Every structure is written in C-alpha cells, then in structure tokens.
Amino acid sequence: MVHKKTITAASLVQDGHPMATQSVLADFAWKRDSTGSETQTLYFHLENGCVGFVQIAWVFLTLKATIETNATFFVPGHPCVFETHNGHNLKVAKDSLGYECKGLQMSWNKDHSRLSVKYTAGRERKASGVAASFEFVRKSDGYKIGDGKNYIGEGTAAHYFYPAGEITAQGEINGAKFESKGSAMFIHAHSANIMPYNVGAEWNMIFFVGHPESMPKDKRNAESASTYHVLQYETPESYGSVHCSNAGLTQENKLKAVLWDTKVEHHELTKDENGSGYDIPKNIIFTSTGKTVDGKKARVVFDARPTQRLHDIDVLHEMPFVVRRLVQALITKPFVFERYEETAKVRVEIEGEEPYVLEGVAFHELTLMK
C-alpha cells in the first residue's frame, strides 16, 4: 500500500525547459543538515586493471552522526579488497573545498577542476591494509537532472555528478606497489528528512569505461576513453515503488549525453550462494534514453553479464550497533553485491548518426534492501 508519494526531479521539469542542467560548486558542498545521509565518492578505472572507489559517508540517525570510510580495490587476478572503517570525526572547511576524517582526505581546488585524495584507512588499521593517493582532473562539466532532487514523502534525495576526468594513482594493494592512470567520475549524494533505508529498496549502479570497437587497441588510453554510468533506484513500496534515474555518456572526457530515463531488467535470477537469501541476476539489461548536450535524441543499451564476484557486503554487519538495531527492525537483510565485467559492450544510438558499439570493462553494484 502506498502511504506517501515520490515525485522525481525529472517529472518536475516544465515543458520547454532542459531536463538536465549544469551542476554548480554549491551542489558538491557538504550539507549535513538533518536526518539522512550524505556521501562523496570517487569511482575509478585504471589502465593497470585496478577498479574501485573511495568514499566518505555521513549518516545521522537517532540523534547521533556516524562517519565511515568505504573503499573497494580490485585488480584482476587478485582477491578484491573491501574496507570500511569508522572515520570518527568529519572536518569540513568553511568553503567545503576540503574535508577529511580518520583515514581519508579529499581536497578540491577553487574551481573544482582538480581533486586530491589520500586514502590511508586500511594501512592505519593493519600493515596489509590498502594505502593509495589519487589526483582527479575533471575534464567535463557536471550535471544534475532538473534541480537534482527527488521528493520522497517528506524528504529529499539528490545526486550531483562530475561524469568524466583523468586520474593518476599510486599506492599499495595486496602487498604490491602500483602507479597508474585512468578514467574516473565523482558523485555527491545527499538525502534529507528521510531515513537512508527509505530512499531506495533496490539500487542499480554501473560505471563502464571503454572505446569504440573500431578503434585500434594501440590507440586506446584514458584520453580517448568513453564512459557510461547509471545510478538508478526504486523507492520502497510505501513510497510508490517509483524509479529515479540518473545516467550519462561521455566521449574523450567530455559529456556527450545526459540520460534521465533508464529501464533496468534483471534476467537469469539465481539464488545467491553466499547466504544473503536474495536471487541475483546473471544478466542485466540497461536501456537509457535522453539527449546529447547539443539536443539530439540519445539511447544507450548495455546487455550486461556481471558474473565476476568482487564482494558481497552485509550492510547490517558493517553498521555500528545502535544504527544496526534501528535498521534491522525495518529491513530484513540489506546487502550490496559488487561485480566486475571484463568484456562489456555498450551500444550507442544518437539521432542522425550511425549507431556504434563501445567495448570495455564495467564495475557493477546492486543494492537490495527488502
């Protein structure tokens, strides 16, 4: 039964107005203004094969704020490393350009063209933990759908994107030092006046990086890469089971299209053999529609097979005790399933142009909170 409504940012855009607008610096500033959650996340694909993300998360429940650092690092041929740690205290500069907690520092320059990240949370806890530093150089304008905010009951959930940039990284994973470059994107997420678990019952997130099939392999690098990302979630049944979608396509580090309507189909469901109790899809089809930055109709289709398991995150197990008890009373088993696809292909259709196929790799994250 629907008790409260969900009104998407896309549905509030008036006729004749652009569905997507350019994000501004204020969209990426920390809010920390009410019951809810907030994250700042850098996702990356490196040319040495390493894929993952680093994240600062802030959650305010039961009159108490919790700070966490979360990170995933996966190098093909090695075990995936997932780390989550208590960040203790979040320090944010007055201009919100710099922020840090125990084990993770992020610092923007004044125009947000460059982000420096230092991750030491793993190494601080144990000698075999991960330590890494990143320099993200933003190459594309940011975007948001409408004003970025979806209205869920009395609360809001917003996402703001820097969809493309070049990244350099160095550090140590699985005992091996590395230095590489690649492609990255940055997302600021913020929910207010709503418990985090009431925002979405199912989340589908992907970050694909690749090149046209026709491009010679010796010409493929971070500068010539295209990316396709999706962040789509379905609100709980009590809020109407409404799909809220954000997706974007970039080419050579420039935003090519913003896609505000994404259909996600789960196929070949099989029982999760790792004990979550959920049925997990072996095949997921993403179909995103929207427009290019110069106004042409755009459609992207990703027939994905995320078969390589990276990590399954038992959210309750990772939560602090007080928050866990509160969430457990309302959600049976919140789980995050992280997967990797090594031979991914994405079909791009642009009005007035010949369709083409991108081939590359994809990071997948499926979150179920039911």
Side-chain angles (χ1 to χ4, degrees):
M1 179 180 293
V2 177
H3 300 293
K4 299 178 181 179
K5 291 183 178 180
T6 296
I7 303 173
T8 66
S11 69
L12 292 173
V13 177
Q14 298 180 358
D15 291 343
H17 290 257
M19 190 66 73
T21 57
Q22 185 173 329
S23 56
V24 297
L25 299 190
D27 292 330
F28 295 89
W30 283 93
K31 306 295 188 293
R32 299 180 296 163
D33 51 4
S34 66
T35 296
S37 63
E38 194 163 4
T39 58
Q40 306 270 7
T41 312
L42 178 68
Y43 294 89
F44 55 86
H45 285 272
L46 303 181
E47 291 181 349
N48 68 350
C50 182
V51 60
F53 68 85
V54 290
Q55 177 187 80
I56 295 179
W58 174 92
V59 181
F60 187 78
L61 300 173
T62 63
L63 303 178
K64 180 178 175 62
T66 300
I67 313 300
E68 287 187 353
T69 62
N70 301 301
T72 289
F73 300 91
F74 172 65
V75 178
H78 297 274
C80 178
V81 177
F82 170 74
E83 299 180 338
T84 182
H85 297 291
N86 188 337
H88 295 284
N89 182 40
L90 178 62
K91 300 177 182 178
V92 180
K94 289 183 179 180
D95 56 11
S96 211
L97 291 175
Y99 34 92
E100 64 178 287
C101 63
K102 181 176 174 58
L104 183 54
Q105 301 174 12
M106 295 186 175
S107 179
W108 290 98
N109 64 354
K110 288 186 177 181
D111 64 356
H112 274 206
S113 62
R114 182 180 293 270
L115 172 70
S116 299
V117 177
K118 185 177 181 181
Y119 177 81
T120 57
R123 182 59 53 81
E124 289 177 10
R125 270 71 176 190
K126 58 182 180 179
S128 60
V130 175
S133 59
F134 305 88
E135 289 289 329
F136 171 62
V137 179
R138 180 172 63 86
K139 296 291 186 178
S140 171
D141 291 334
Y143 80 88
K144 55 191 173 185
I145 306 299
D147 68 354
K149 294 181 181 178
N150 297 304
Y151 293 81
I152 305 170
E154 303 301 320
T156 60
H159 291 89
Y160 308 100
F161 297 80
Y162 285 139
E166 297 173 7
I167 191 169
T168 56
Q170 58 183 3
E172 187 172 343
I173 303 172
N174 297 312
K177 293 184 178 181
F178 74 93
E179 186 170 345
S180 189
K181 63 178 182 177
S183 301
M185 73 169 177
F186 188 88
I187 302 176
H188 177 211
H190 170 250
S191 67
N193 298 314
I194 186 170
M195 293 295 190
Y197 47 78
N198 280 332
V199 175
E202 176 181 305
W203 297 71
N204 291 274
M205 182 271 171
I206 55 170
F207 181 36
F208 164 91
V209 175
H211 296 82
E213 278 186 318
S214 59
M215 180 179 288
K217 286 186 168 50
D218 62 353
K219 301 293 184 182
R220 301 181 183 186
N221 52 42
E223 292 80 6
S224 62
S226 294
T227 72
Y228 167 56
H229 68 266
V230 173
L231 195 160
Q232 189 242 41
Y233 60 94
E234 180 183 0
T235 59
E237 184 179 359
S238 59
Y239 290 87
S241 299
V242 175
H243 291 100
C244 302
S245 298
N246 304 267
L249 176 71
T250 73
Q251 180 177 308
E252 296 180 346
N253 283 316
K254 299 298 181 184
L255 183 62
K256 186 174 180 65
V258 176
L259 313 157
W260 50 84
D261 186 6
T262 297
K263 179 181 180 182
V264 181
E265 304 170 67
H266 289 184
H267 299 286
E268 301 177 32
L269 297 174
T270 57
K271 185 68 68 177
D272 175 31
E273 59 189 28
N274 295 301
S276 71
Y278 285 112
D279 292 329
I280 306 302
K282 290 185 176 180
N283 174 223
I284 308 176
I285 301 175
F286 299 85
T287 305
S288 300
T289 56
K291 287 188 176 182
T292 63
V293 293
D294 57 356
K296 298 177 182 177
K297 293 181 180 179
R299 182 173 182 263
V300 179
V301 180
F302 182 15
D303 190 344
R305 287 194 169 274
T307 54
Q308 185 162 353
R309 176 179 178 266
L310 300 185
H311 193 78
D312 296 345
I313 304 168
D314 182 343
V315 177
L316 289 179
H317 178 75
E318 303 293 351
M319 283 182 169
F321 178 76
V322 175
V323 179
R324 183 191 314 144
R325 297 296 293 175
L326 176 62
V327 175
Q328 198 166 25
L330 298 162
I331 303 173
T332 305
K333 283 187 176 181
F335 264 82
V336 180
F337 304 92
E338 295 183 342
R339 299 293 186 265
Y340 178 72
E341 189 169 1
E342 194 170 15
T343 55
K345 291 191 176 184
V346 170
R347 178 178 171 86
V348 179
E349 302 169 5
I350 305 294
E351 182 182 11
E353 301 179 13
E354 284 294 319
Y356 61 94
V357 173
L358 299 168
E359 59 181 12
V361 296
F363 172 77
H364 294 255
E365 194 171 77
L366 170 64
T367 303
L368 298 174
M369 292 196 280
K370 299 178 180 180

